[in-house]
Amino acid sequence: MTGLALAASLAVAPGARAGVDDDIRVKESKGRIKAAGPGFTLKLTRHGIVTQVVDEEFGDPSTGEPVTRSTLDLAGRTLRPFVCDNGTYTVTGGAFKRTFRFSSRERRPAPYPEQFHTGFPGLVTPFLGEFDATVTDAAGETLRVLISDLAYETWTPGGGFRSTAPIHGFVVDAKGRIRDRISLFGHFRSGPGGANAKYWIEDRGTCHQTADYNWGPGTDRVVVTGPLLVFPFNSPVVTPRK
């Protein structure tokens, strides 16, 4: 799943049930992102992030899992900068709001590494992240980074696994102009037990970087954007035609 690369453990209660059929739908344009999933909507522009969540419809309430909310204060943390075509941006403050509901405590299939399971021990169906940060570039200019960080993980009929992991965002200067765009959309599909796993990331933005997570083989070039990751393992990247 997409998520902030911080030591923030998420716990799962026993007895969770999987198999939600809904998914996340994203509409993307040059200056606006709209997303909708089970029990939530999101709108992202250069002015901010607006979300609506209906707890009774968020994810799969029949699992008995609660809707969990948390906010991470970004001030004072050492976070990976955002590397983009028009600048490198270092986080100086802000917040990362997270709303999620677990659907299963079972392990994700390979190539998800064991270290990722330790930090995120359960399928998130769905995950809604709102990243709003102040940043500075190499010239000392202060900008704002606004990101929607979403994920939807579920078991498919027959025991396969599916994950949808979109990250979209804007780097906005003091005059309200979009300096850079983040557009990473991860897809994962597999059969039972991870058989015939296929995964890829669509990149339509201007921010491109990887990181070495040192989580074992296949984790030395994980696709990230600043402190956020798409999948916790190396994935092929495609650039769809505009």
Side-chain angles (χ1 to χ4, degrees):
M1 76 181 197
T2 57
L4 190 65
L6 299 174
S9 179
L10 307 178
V12 186
R17 195 160 53 85
V20 183
D21 293 327
D22 296 313
D23 211 329
I24 293 174
R25 302 168 299 283
V26 178
K27 292 185 178 180
E28 178 180 6
S29 63
K30 187 175 181 180
R32 183 186 300 268
I33 303 296
K34 289 186 176 181
F40 78 88
T41 60
L42 175 145
K43 182 173 72 173
L44 169 64
T45 68
R46 60 191 172 93
H47 302 294
I49 307 171
V50 178
T51 61
Q52 292 184 326
V53 176
V54 179
D55 285 22
E56 294 78 10
E57 301 174 4
F58 190 75
D60 184 1
S62 69
T63 63
E65 295 288 343
V67 175
T68 300
R69 291 177 170 85
S70 65
T71 299
L72 299 177
D73 185 354
L74 304 178
R77 298 179 182 269
T78 301
L79 302 175
R80 184 184 302 105
F82 294 90
V83 178
C84 304
D85 291 352
N86 299 307
T88 296
Y89 310 103
T90 301
V91 176
T92 58
F96 184 40
K97 297 180 181 179
R98 308 181 302 173
T99 305
F100 54 90
R101 190 197 294 269
F102 287 105
S103 64
S104 170
R105 63 182 302 171
E106 297 177 73
R107 286 177 50 90
R108 303 168 183 87
Y112 282 86
E114 181 61 35
Q115 289 87 336
F116 188 74
H117 291 289
T118 300
F120 299 91
L123 273 60
V124 182
T125 314
F127 178 93
L128 168 61
E130 305 168 57
F131 188 97
D132 187 347
T134 54
V135 298
T136 57
D137 63 10
E141 181 180 356
T142 298
L143 303 94
R144 187 181 184 189
V145 175
L146 294 157
I147 299 174
S148 61
D149 178 18
L150 309 175
Y152 187 98
E153 302 174 320
T154 189
W155 301 114
T156 60
F161 177 77
R162 174 166 56 91
S163 176
T164 301
I167 298 180
H168 293 86
F170 302 118
V171 180
V172 184
D173 68 16
K175 295 183 178 180
R177 298 172 298 195
I178 295 174
R179 180 80 58 85
D180 278 293
R181 296 177 62 254
I182 298 164
S183 179
L184 299 166
F185 205 126
H187 305 269
F188 187 106
R189 306 288 186 271
S190 80
N196 303 313
K198 296 180 180 179
Y199 44 89
W200 69 98
I201 297 170
E202 299 174 13
D203 185 354
R204 295 181 173 86
T206 63
C207 299
H208 322 281
Q209 62 189 117
T210 62
D212 185 352
Y213 272 80
N214 195 30
W215 284 347
T219 64
D220 60 327
R221 292 187 59 80
V222 174
V223 175
V224 300
T225 183
L228 304 177
L229 61 86
V230 183
F231 292 132
F233 46 81
N234 301 353
S235 302
V237 177
V238 299
T239 304
R241 293 182 179 180
K242 297 182 180 180

